[in-house]
Amino acid sequence: MKKNKSLEKNSQSENFISVKEFFNDGKQLLELTLISSSSGFENNITHSKIQKPGLALAGYVDFIHPGRVQILGKLEINYLKELSSKERLKVLSKIFQKKMCCIVLTSNLDPPDELLNLANESKVPVFKSSLATSQCIERITNFLSKKLAPKKKIHGVLLDIYGQGVLIIGESGIGKSECAVELIVRGHRLVSDDVIEIYRTSEGRIVGSAPPLSRYHLEVRGLGIINIKELFGISSITLEKEIDLIIELKKWEPDVEFDRLGYESMRKYELLGVDLPLIVIPVGPGRNLAVLTEIAVRKHLLDRKVYPASKEITKELENLLKSNQVMNDRDDE
Amino acid sequence: MIEKKIKIINKLGLHARAASKFVNLANRFKSKVRIIKNDDEIDGKSILGILTLAATQGTEIILRVEGEDEEKAIQALENLINNKFQEPE
């Protein structure tokens, strides 16, 4: 995955993958085989949405997008096969004058010879997929939107606590990993310690997972690197989790004021352009961080779920009082 | 804040023992220590992060140190890398 550096902080950052990466990582899922030469593997795919050439086959090629995977299904191939070889060559030549990243033929269809020749000449790789067109389009779109999503590595610990994805951040040495170990002992699950790979989904959620090398592992000073999956079993880990809440552990300093009433629970922390709720917990002697973290998550759940309910009941009561008032007024008349 | 581009020159790259030496040294300083490789930025005071970099011989990394003792820290860390983590090859 390459990233456009100058736009790194911009949520609209433009990502791309090479056709080579598309083929290597996607060939199993998308059931792809390469049927052209591999020249053009360095072409870039920039969009997760595919394109069906449609009218381009009739000569209207203006809207062919170089960064989108071109899909040819039964309809397109049959149409091409019905043309005379002279017409076919004319139509295809016009299309291949446009830049394209790659072409995928669905349903195991065989391309006309003219298409393959032109593709090799213009360095456009052609793949064949055994999937039906609709299924192929769906899988390519999902695969690419994940690949092209804005992503980043961050420092912290990601856990699943009461089903919520909780990211614990704070300076190194503050006790994030120790807090995580205790949470795991209490039955919660580890996603990743230290380095977390995050990406933004098309729905604007942030999903975190562990880099393959450090997956299942956690470092505790004095004990070294421990394997959580081996020590605590399969139920103590989870591979991927959407982040719902961020907890920052902060050194307790006498001159820093902390939230005493809980009014500030609406603080935000930005990740890849998405604002997530942040709770800051001061670290000090006699404070059990794991328990405090658990309570913070419970509080977050409560704030999110019960608060609207209480609002609703208040509203209902107000309405009821109002209508009773009206009835009473009528009785008085 | 000080930033410095440094090349990993020892044969084995940032292997586990080297990484642990680096982390221990980094933790002696108050400053924040970050290592940047390509677009990835990791905490230089934590071993798992350094291991995931998988930096081989010849890899260029950027050290970013920020804090009251930043000059001493970057000097010491740079020396460690340039002295091949004080390990025989």
Side-chain angles (χ1 to χ4, degrees), chain B residues 62-78:
Chain B
I62 297 169
L63 275 187
R64 184 184 288 162
V65 183
E66 192 177 358
E68 45 188 292
D69 51 3
E70 54 188 29
E71 273 173 36
K72 270 189 192 167
I74 204 158
Q75 194 58 51
L77 293 168
E78 194 189 356

Side-chain angles (χ1 to χ4, degrees), chain A residues 87-99:
Chain A
E87 274 178 310
R88 193 153 54 224
L89 190 65
K90 197 180 141 201
V91 166
L92 288 170
S93 306
K94 203 169 174 193
I95 292 180
F96 276 99
Q97 275 167 16
K98 286 274 172 180
K99 263 196 149 168

Side-chain angles (χ1 to χ4, degrees), chain A residues 5 153 155 172 194-195 213, chain B residues 39-40 43 45-46 49 51:
Chain A
K5 230 183 172 179
K153 278 185 185 167
H155 182 68
S172 51
D194 213 24
V195 184
L213 193 72
Chain B
D39 279 342
D40 297 333
D43 190 327
K45 291 189 176 182
S46 115
L51 293 183

Side-chain angles (χ1 to χ4, degrees), chain A residues 184-218:
Chain A
I184 293 161
V185 172
R186 295 171 73 93
H188 304 294
R189 306 199 285 171
L190 175 75
V191 184
S192 187
D193 176 42
D194 213 24
V195 184
I196 303 155
E197 291 178 345
I198 56 168
Y199 70 89
R200 192 182 67 211
T201 66
S202 48
E203 293 87 26
R205 306 274 302 165
I206 303 295
V207 178
S209 62
L213 193 72
S214 67
R215 188 172 293 158
Y216 313 140
H217 291 88
L218 195 147

Side-chain angles (χ1 to χ4, degrees), chain A residues 11 15 29 39 41 52 95 97 100 104 111 115-116 120 123 131-132 145 167-168 203 212 226 239 257 303 325 330:
Chain A
S11 55
N15 292 328
L29 176 80
S39 63
F41 258 33
K52 282 193 97 184
I95 292 180
Q97 275 167 16
M100 288 181 283
V104 175
L115 190 143
L116 263 190
N120 284 338
K123 296 190 173 167
L131 297 172
S145 48
L167 171 69
I168 303 175
E203 293 87 26
I226 56 176
L239 289 179
E257 285 183 13
D303 283 352
Q325 188 67 46
R330 266 194 208 142

Side-chain angles (χ1 to χ4, degrees), chain A residues 51-60 70-72 75-76 79 95:
Chain A
Q51 194 166 35
K52 282 193 97 184
L55 277 177
L57 297 178
Y60 186 57
Q70 302 293 324
I71 304 269
L72 295 179
L75 204 70
E76 288 81 3
Y79 172 76
I95 292 180

